[in-house]
Amino acid sequence: IRDIERLLSKRRDKLPANVIVENERALAALKIEKKNATKIQQVKKNAKKYHMVRFFEKKKALRKYKQAKKEYDQLISSNSEKKEIKKAKKKLSHCEIDLAYVVYFPKSCKYIALYPTNSSESEKDETLRKGLLKTEAERNQYKKQYEQMIKDGSILV
């Protein structure tokens, strides 16, 4: 990229038109290739960095989903009250969303933990509180996105 840019900047007036066009096309292709390589490196870096957190959260979400599914199936088979069944179905749908969040979270982004560890409220200062609110808003945005995708049927859980 650097060689082609230098060539085009210093010798543009002496080069034939077809050579200039070829070099500009090659330069554009190389820039796109560099951008893709950078993106792939970022994905690999984030996948490696957040692999353990995602693994444990996937296990936890899957366990909660299985428990909710079992509870829902028991209520259906025992012909329980509609309120209880509705509550269990809502819990099951929340567990599905959590599972989809962990599985389908984009690897190119910094992973936002679904089950963060809580620290005591007295230690938090104003900037930390603002950061936590921002993180919570991003997590909720992703959860809404996955909820919509589940309703549309574009992802399966």
Side-chain angles (χ1 to χ4, degrees):
I1 292 175
R2 192 167 163 225
D3 288 344
I4 295 173
E5 286 176 341
R6 281 183 171 176
L7 177 72
L8 289 174
S9 67
K10 291 187 178 188
R11 310 194 101 216
R12 187 175 212 106
D13 54 339
K14 296 177 185 174
L15 293 173
N18 62 343
V19 174
I20 292 174
V21 170
E22 287 176 14
N23 283 323
E24 286 176 346
R25 287 181 183 162
L27 182 63
L30 287 171
K31 284 184 178 181
I32 290 171
E33 195 174 307
K34 180 182 176 190
K35 183 180 173 186
N36 290 340
T38 306
K39 189 174 183 180
I40 289 169
Q41 285 178 339
Q42 184 66 33
V43 167
K44 284 182 181 178
K45 180 183 165 193
N46 281 342
K48 185 177 179 183
K49 184 176 183 180
Y50 298 111
H51 176 25
M52 188 168 60
V53 174
R54 290 174 66 123
F55 175 76
F56 289 131
E57 287 199 349
K58 183 178 177 183
K59 290 282 191 185
K60 191 172 189 176
L62 194 58
R63 184 175 59 243
K64 286 185 175 191
Y65 173 76
K66 285 180 182 178
Q67 288 173 352
K69 179 77 172 155
K70 185 178 179 182
E71 181 182 329
Y72 177 73
D73 289 341
Q74 285 177 350
L75 289 174
I76 292 291
S77 64
S78 66
N79 294 329
S80 298
E81 292 182 27
K82 288 187 177 184
K83 268 187 179 178
E84 291 177 13
I85 293 173
K86 191 174 182 181
K87 191 182 281 187
K89 188 171 184 174
K90 189 173 184 179
K91 184 178 178 183
L92 181 64
S93 68
H94 284 296
C95 291
E96 284 178 345
I97 293 167
D98 289 349
L99 187 58
Y101 177 93
V102 174
V103 172
Y104 294 108
F105 194 89
K107 289 180 175 55
S108 60
C109 302
K110 178 182 173 186
Y111 184 73
I112 301 169
L114 186 59
Y115 308 110
T117 56
N118 295 330
S119 59
S120 65
E121 293 291 324
S122 61
E123 296 176 9
K124 295 180 183 175
D125 60 339
E126 189 62 31
T127 56
L128 183 62
R129 193 172 300 128
K130 285 182 183 177
L132 289 174
L133 290 174
K134 182 181 174 191
T135 303
E136 185 68 30
E138 288 178 27
R139 183 182 307 115
N140 289 335
Q141 180 183 5
Y142 276 114
K143 286 177 89 171
K144 286 179 185 176
Q145 178 183 350
Y146 293 122
E147 180 180 12
Q148 186 63 37
M149 291 170 86
I150 289 172
K151 285 181 182 176
D152 295 342
S154 58
I155 59 174
L156 299 173
V157 180

